[in-house]
Amino acid sequence: AACIATSGPGASNLVTGLLDAHLDRVPLIAITGTKPRSDLAHSEFQDIDQSRLFAAGGLSYSVTVSDPLQLVAVMRDAVATALTHHCCVHVGVPVDIQGALLSAPEHLCSANPAEMKRRVEAQIGDPDDIAGIAELLASGKERVVFAVGLAARQDGEAILRLAEMTASPVVTRLDAKGAIDESHPLPPPPRGGGARRRRLAPL
């Protein structure tokens, strides 16, 4: 996801929503404008140090571009950070750089966002870890909680199949409402002190 805000109050009003998205681990890039470079850092009207503002709120990548040639590399790193770390990033672009004509060397454009996203989505769990979890579920000796991340919000049907196979209830956070069919007749939570024995079936 991406969002754009103006300098000054546009950036400061963005803080709450951006930090909330960051806590939810939403890959998002926020681009804000700033004063021209010649007007920065000497008490110009509505001049806010935006990179420090967002970094203080918890964003690990928050940069204000200082040179037109730097913009391409900064945007490349920002997109890569957001997609690979599932976090929010911020890039401030001074208005005089926004209007500049850029001619960047090819090596600065080496990152391909579509390819990075494909590699992230293609990641699979370690087979030994998966086998260990399957054995634990089949034993029925332990209670197990599946914590499904926000990146799986489009996989509601697979989540329901897992719930059916393990006879498990599903509880969703507010921001996950609609990810699964909440009218589905899922089993009730286990009652009493003993753990329910679960049986795995093939997917």
Side-chain angles (χ1 to χ4, degrees), residues 37 39-44 47:
R37 288 170 291 173
D39 292 337
L40 293 175
H42 53 81
S43 302
E44 184 69 14
D47 177 24

Side-chain angles (χ1 to χ4, degrees), residues 27-29 61 73-87 89 91 111-114 116-117:
L28 183 149
I29 180 169
Y61 191 97
V74 166
M75 293 297 292
R76 176 199 64 196
D77 292 348
V79 171
T81 300
L83 290 178
T84 56
H85 294 281
H86 289 275
C87 65
V89 299
V91 177
N112 184 328
M116 287 188 298
K117 189 171 188 296

Side-chain angles (χ1 to χ4, degrees), residues 14-39:
L14 182 63
V15 171
T16 301
L18 190 60
L19 297 185
D20 187 51
H22 184 69
L23 291 174
D24 287 338
R25 299 186 64 81
V26 177
L28 183 149
I29 180 169
I31 303 172
T32 60
T34 74
K35 293 283 185 179
R37 288 170 291 173
S38 60
D39 292 337

Side-chain angles (χ1 to χ4, degrees), residues 122-157:
Q123 293 177 351
I124 59 174
D126 182 88
D128 292 336
D129 291 340
I130 294 175
I133 294 172
E135 183 178 350
L136 181 64
L137 288 171
S139 72
K141 296 178 180 178
E142 300 287 344
R143 291 182 183 269
V144 178
V145 176
F146 293 93
V148 182
L150 190 64
R153 60 187 178 277
Q154 304 299 327
D155 299 317
E157 291 184 3

